[in-house]
């Protein structure tokens, strides 16, 4: 049986690869893409999501634009990583498929109400604004969510946008607090694990060797955002964050983690957006998330390359 998912996203080259991985995987039925402001403003993320669908030759996947700013703060973006458009790298044609008229939050609410309870998984790859807004507006949908599998946060790796916080959570900590407090089952793919999914030269060459439009594009996108991360971390490649979410759905055996309590810091100007994960279980706070800590990176890249090959 296929698993129904909604991908909530702010593409972003790594979001784009995650979307491609999902669209290439017969185990998953992508009910829609919901764009949110994050890496770049909403105008770009809503456009980029459609560019990716067209690259995968899937213009039938509905794309919805959602919230254009965080719940309680000004938008912080990451053009320094992803470029001005969010998908900088090779020039890409504007999409011809339409953006849906419906707001992404309405799509999320209606889909969860219309599908059987416990059958729709939410896959947030950006700030949690759309998801939290949907939960606040329609609290009845929370218990209908099968699981939330998200990229965000960090514990041992601490921050990538501030010393304490990971970008997706930092941009909208109030939304993250709503989501982590909602009571739906959550899997977190934090920097602790995504920093192990490094785009080393042989792995990028494997994308290129596919020889397809998709393979060449993924290699080119990777080259673009690598320039920043390799310099920053001094690593052999850049972390391919968001595809880890989809990989966890497909092959949870590639990952290990712990059920722990995760709270979101929203007050402190110094540590705002920090995911305070009780990894060592030193409090009585109940577990609210499966916090992933390790992965088989080689297995992950094998899976990704094999799946991308299917999108010719
Ligand atoms: C996250 O922030 C974005 O820049 C990436 O797309 C990813 O979702 C990593 O911190
Ligand atoms: Ca993202």
């Amino acid at each position: 049986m296929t698993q129904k998912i909604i991908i909530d996203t702010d593409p972003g080259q790594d979001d784009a690869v995650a979307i491609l991985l999902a669209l290439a995987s017969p185990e998953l039925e992508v009910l829609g893409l919901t764009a949110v402001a994050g890496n770049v403003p909403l105008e770009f993320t809503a456009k980029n999501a459609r560019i990716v669908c067209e690259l995968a030759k899937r213009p039938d996947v509905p794309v919805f634009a959602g919230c254009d700013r965080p719940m309680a703060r000004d938008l912080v973006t990451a053009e320094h990583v992803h470029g001005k458009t969010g998908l900088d790298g090779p020039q890409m044609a504007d999409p011809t498929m339409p953006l849906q008229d419906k707001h992404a939050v309405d799509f999320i609410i209606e889909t969860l109400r219309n599908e059987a309870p416990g059958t729709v998984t939410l896959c947030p790859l950006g700030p949690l604004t759309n998801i939290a807004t949907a939960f606040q507006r329609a609290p009845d949908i929370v218990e209908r969510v099968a699981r939330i599998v998200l990229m965000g946060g960090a514990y041992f790796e601490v921050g990538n946008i501030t010393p304490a916080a990971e970008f997706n959570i930092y941009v909208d900590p109030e939304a993250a607090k709503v989501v982590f407090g909602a009571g739906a089952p959550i899997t977190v793919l934090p920097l602790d694990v995504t920093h192990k999914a490094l785009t080393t030269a042989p792995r990028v060459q494997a994308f290129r060797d596919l020889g397809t439009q998709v393979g060449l594009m993924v290699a080119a996108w990777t080259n673009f955002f690598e320039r920043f991360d390799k310099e920053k971390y001094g690593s052999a490649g850049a972390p391919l964050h968001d595809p880890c979410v989809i990989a966890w759905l497909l092959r949870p055996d590639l990952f290990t983690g712990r059920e722990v309590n995760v709270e979101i810091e929203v007050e402190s100007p110094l540590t705002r957006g920090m995911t305070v994960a009780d990894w060592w279980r030193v409090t009585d706070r109940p577990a609210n998330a499966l916090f992933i800590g390790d992965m088989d990176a080689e297995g992950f890249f094998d899976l990704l390359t094999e799946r991308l090959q299917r999108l010719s």
Side-chain angles (χ1 to χ4, degrees), residues 112-126:
L112 284 163
R113 283 181 178 160
N114 292 339
E115 298 287 341
T119 59
V120 177
T121 296
L122 302 177
C123 301
L125 310 177

Side-chain angles (χ1 to χ4, degrees), residues 10-15 39 78 81-82 125-127 151-153 160 166-168 191 194-195 241-242:
D10 63 337
Q13 294 90 350
D14 64 319
D15 301 69
N39 284 324
V81 184
H82 302 276
L125 310 177
M151 191 279 135
N160 62 355
E166 180 279 330
F167 178 79
N168 289 341
L191 296 180
T194 67
H195 277 187
H241 305 282
D242 293 340

Side-chain angles (χ1 to χ4, degrees), residues 15-312:
D15 301 69
V17 180
I19 295 166
L20 292 174
L21 175 58
L23 293 178
S25 296
E27 302 92 328
L28 303 177
E29 182 186 350
V30 182
L31 300 178
L33 303 183
T34 52
V36 68
N39 284 324
V40 284
L42 182 67
E43 174 200 341
F44 288 108
T45 61
K47 178 173 156 184
N48 294 345
R50 287 176 291 147
I51 288 176
V52 178
C53 289
E54 289 188 355
L55 176 65
K57 306 228 172 5
R58 291 294 307 277
D60 56 299
V61 176
V63 176
F64 303 84
C67 300
D68 64 359
R69 72 189 71 128
M71 294 179 104
R73 301 174 189 269
D74 291 338
L75 178 65
V76 175
T77 52
E79 283 90 354
H80 58 292
V81 184
H82 302 276
K84 185 170 182 309
T85 67
L87 269 191
D88 276 19
Q91 183 79 32
M92 300 195 69
D94 282 352
T96 56
M97 64 182 277
L99 187 62
Q100 301 292 311
D101 288 337
K102 195 177 290 193
H103 193 282
V105 169
D106 292 324
F107 171 73
I108 293 167
I109 293 171
E110 287 172 21
T111 304
L112 284 163
R113 283 181 178 160
N114 292 339
E115 298 287 341
T119 59
V120 177
T121 296
L122 302 177
C123 301
L125 310 177
L128 290 159
T129 320
N130 285 343
I131 310 295
T133 305
F135 283 3
Q136 282 202 332
R137 206 176 289 167
D140 59 290
I141 64 173
V142 173
E143 64 180 26
R144 304 179 72 88
V145 174
R147 178 167 281 271
I148 300 167
V149 186
L150 67 90
M151 191 279 135
Y155 183 65
F156 292 100
E157 284 285 302
V158 286
N160 62 355
I161 185 75
T162 72
E166 180 279 330
F167 178 79
N168 289 341
I169 306 295
Y170 175 80
V171 172
D172 199 343
E174 283 75 17
K177 191 174 168 69
V178 169
V179 170
F180 278 85
I186 302 181
T187 300
V188 184
L189 283 299
L191 296 180
D192 304 307
V193 67
T194 67
H195 277 187
K196 294 174 178 158
L198 293 178
T199 57
T200 59
R203 290 167 179 168
V204 177
Q205 189 57 41
F207 297 145
R208 203 172 289 118
D209 287 347
L210 293 175
T212 59
Q213 199 192 0
V214 166
L216 295 172
M217 188 58 72
V218 169
W221 280 335
T222 309
N223 275 344
F224 181 86
F225 70 77
E226 261 192 10
R227 88 218 176 284
F228 172 81
D229 281 330
K230 277 161 102 171
E231 194 179 322
K232 178 176 174 187
Y233 299 113
S235 54
L240 202 50
H241 305 282
D242 293 340
C244 292
V245 164
I246 307 299
W248 186 83
L249 288 175
L250 297 169
R251 289 281 309 276
D253 58 302
L254 294 175
F255 299 85
T256 54
R258 288 185 180 195
E259 296 280 353
V260 299
N261 177 270
V262 181
E263 302 292 333
I264 311 296
E265 176 58 59
V266 292
E267 311 261 319
S268 157
L270 196 59
T271 58
R272 150 188 164 197
M274 186 171 188
T275 42
V276 182
D278 188 6
W279 184 262
W280 301 115
R281 301 192 180 109
V282 292
T283 74
D284 294 332
R285 295 194 285 261
N288 59 352
L290 173 60
F291 203 82
I292 303 297
D294 204 0
M295 75 185 291
D296 170 357
E298 226 33 72
F300 164 77
F301 277 94
D302 287 348
L303 171 72
L304 179 57
T305 309
E306 184 268 316
R307 291 305 166 96
L308 292 179
Q309 186 169 27
R310 300 182 187 200
L311 296 173
S312 53

